[in-house]
Short mmCIF file of all heavy atoms in Angstrom, two decimals:
data_model
loop_
_atom_site.label_atom_id
_atom_site.label_comp_id
_atom_site.label_asym_id
_atom_site.label_seq_id
_atom_site.Cartn_x
_atom_site.Cartn_y
_atom_site.Cartn_z
N TYR A 218 42.47 6.22 -9.05
CA TYR A 218 42.19 7.09 -10.20
C TYR A 218 43.25 6.93 -11.28
O TYR A 218 42.97 7.09 -12.46
CB TYR A 218 42.11 8.55 -9.75
CG TYR A 218 40.93 8.86 -8.87
CD1 TYR A 218 41.04 8.75 -7.49
CD2 TYR A 218 39.71 9.23 -9.41
CE1 TYR A 218 39.96 9.03 -6.67
CE2 TYR A 218 38.61 9.50 -8.60
CZ TYR A 218 38.75 9.40 -7.24
OH TYR A 218 37.67 9.65 -6.42
N THR A 219 44.48 6.66 -10.85
CA THR A 219 45.60 6.44 -11.76
C THR A 219 46.47 5.33 -11.16
O THR A 219 46.27 4.93 -10.01
CB THR A 219 46.46 7.71 -11.94
OG1 THR A 219 47.29 7.88 -10.78
CG2 THR A 219 45.61 8.95 -12.15
N PRO A 220 47.48 4.86 -11.91
CA PRO A 220 48.38 3.85 -11.34
C PRO A 220 49.17 4.37 -10.15
O PRO A 220 49.75 3.58 -9.39
CB PRO A 220 49.32 3.53 -12.51
CG PRO A 220 48.54 3.89 -13.73
CD PRO A 220 47.73 5.08 -13.35
N TYR A 221 49.17 5.71 -9.95
CA TYR A 221 49.96 6.29 -8.86
C TYR A 221 49.13 6.60 -7.62
O TYR A 221 49.68 7.06 -6.61
CB TYR A 221 50.64 7.58 -9.36
CG TYR A 221 51.51 7.36 -10.57
CD1 TYR A 221 51.12 7.84 -11.82
CD2 TYR A 221 52.71 6.67 -10.48
CE1 TYR A 221 51.90 7.64 -12.95
CE2 TYR A 221 53.50 6.46 -11.61
CZ TYR A 221 53.09 6.95 -12.83
OH TYR A 221 53.87 6.73 -13.94
N THR A 222 47.83 6.39 -7.68
CA THR A 222 46.98 6.64 -6.51
C THR A 222 47.38 5.73 -5.36
O THR A 222 47.60 4.53 -5.56
CB THR A 222 45.50 6.39 -6.84
OG1 THR A 222 45.13 7.17 -7.98
CG2 THR A 222 44.61 6.78 -5.68
N LYS A 223 47.48 6.29 -4.18
CA LYS A 223 47.83 5.51 -3.00
C LYS A 223 46.56 4.82 -2.47
O LYS A 223 45.74 5.45 -1.82
CB LYS A 223 48.47 6.40 -1.94
CG LYS A 223 49.85 6.89 -2.38
CD LYS A 223 50.46 7.86 -1.42
CE LYS A 223 51.91 8.16 -1.84
NZ LYS A 223 52.00 8.66 -3.23
N THR A 224 46.46 3.54 -2.76
CA THR A 224 45.26 2.78 -2.39
C THR A 224 45.48 1.92 -1.15
O THR A 224 44.54 1.28 -0.68
CB THR A 224 44.83 1.87 -3.56
OG1 THR A 224 45.93 1.02 -3.92
CG2 THR A 224 44.43 2.72 -4.77
N LEU A 225 46.70 1.91 -0.62
CA LEU A 225 46.98 1.18 0.61
C LEU A 225 47.05 2.17 1.77
O LEU A 225 47.76 3.18 1.69
CB LEU A 225 48.30 0.42 0.51
CG LEU A 225 48.37 -0.71 -0.52
CD1 LEU A 225 49.77 -1.31 -0.55
CD2 LEU A 225 47.34 -1.78 -0.18
N PRO A 226 46.31 1.93 2.85
CA PRO A 226 46.34 2.84 4.00
C PRO A 226 47.75 3.12 4.50
O PRO A 226 48.06 4.26 4.88
CB PRO A 226 45.50 2.11 5.05
CG PRO A 226 44.56 1.27 4.25
CD PRO A 226 45.36 0.82 3.06
N SER A 227 48.62 2.12 4.51
CA SER A 227 49.98 2.30 5.01
C SER A 227 50.75 3.31 4.15
O SER A 227 51.48 4.16 4.68
CB SER A 227 50.72 0.96 5.04
OG SER A 227 50.74 0.36 3.74
N ALA A 228 50.58 3.22 2.83
CA ALA A 228 51.27 4.15 1.93
C ALA A 228 50.73 5.56 2.08
O ALA A 228 51.50 6.54 2.08
CB ALA A 228 51.12 3.68 0.48
N LEU A 229 49.41 5.68 2.24
CA LEU A 229 48.82 7.00 2.40
C LEU A 229 49.24 7.62 3.73
O LEU A 229 49.55 8.81 3.80
CB LEU A 229 47.29 6.90 2.32
CG LEU A 229 46.54 8.23 2.48
CD1 LEU A 229 46.94 9.21 1.38
CD2 LEU A 229 45.02 8.00 2.44
N LYS A 230 49.25 6.82 4.80
CA LYS A 230 49.66 7.33 6.11
C LYS A 230 51.09 7.84 6.07
O LYS A 230 51.40 8.89 6.65
CB LYS A 230 49.51 6.22 7.16
CG LYS A 230 48.08 5.94 7.58
CD LYS A 230 48.00 4.71 8.47
CE LYS A 230 48.83 4.85 9.71
NZ LYS A 230 48.75 3.66 10.58
N GLU A 231 51.96 7.13 5.38
CA GLU A 231 53.35 7.57 5.25
C GLU A 231 53.44 8.89 4.49
O GLU A 231 54.21 9.79 4.84
CB GLU A 231 54.16 6.49 4.54
CG GLU A 231 55.64 6.80 4.41
CD GLU A 231 56.41 5.69 3.72
OE1 GLU A 231 55.87 4.57 3.60
OE2 GLU A 231 57.56 5.94 3.30
N ASN A 232 52.62 9.01 3.44
CA ASN A 232 52.59 10.23 2.65
C ASN A 232 52.07 11.41 3.46
O ASN A 232 52.58 12.53 3.37
CB ASN A 232 51.71 10.00 1.42
CG ASN A 232 51.71 11.19 0.48
OD1 ASN A 232 50.74 11.94 0.45
ND2 ASN A 232 52.78 11.38 -0.28
N LEU A 233 51.05 11.17 4.29
CA LEU A 233 50.48 12.23 5.12
C LEU A 233 51.47 12.67 6.20
O LEU A 233 51.51 13.86 6.57
CB LEU A 233 49.17 11.75 5.76
CG LEU A 233 48.03 11.45 4.79
CD1 LEU A 233 46.82 10.91 5.55
CD2 LEU A 233 47.64 12.69 3.99
N GLU A 234 52.25 11.73 6.72
CA GLU A 234 53.27 12.08 7.71
C GLU A 234 54.31 13.00 7.09
O GLU A 234 54.77 13.96 7.73
CB GLU A 234 53.94 10.80 8.24
CG GLU A 234 55.00 11.06 9.29
CD GLU A 234 54.48 11.79 10.51
OE1 GLU A 234 53.30 11.58 10.87
OE2 GLU A 234 55.25 12.59 11.10
N GLN A 235 54.66 12.74 5.84
CA GLN A 235 55.59 13.61 5.13
C GLN A 235 54.99 15.00 4.94
O GLN A 235 55.68 16.01 5.07
CB GLN A 235 55.94 12.99 3.76
CG GLN A 235 56.90 13.83 2.91
CD GLN A 235 58.26 13.96 3.56
OE1 GLN A 235 58.69 13.09 4.31
NE2 GLN A 235 58.96 15.05 3.26
N ALA A 236 53.69 15.05 4.67
CA ALA A 236 53.01 16.34 4.50
C ALA A 236 53.06 17.14 5.80
O ALA A 236 53.25 18.36 5.78
CB ALA A 236 51.56 16.11 4.07
#
Side-chain angles (χ1 to χ4, degrees):
Y218 292 91
T219 76
Y221 303 108
T222 305
K223 291 175 173 56
T224 57
L225 295 177
S227 58
L229 180 60
K230 285 172 59 180
E231 183 179 345
N232 184 256
L233 295 177
E234 181 59 33
Q235 180 64 28

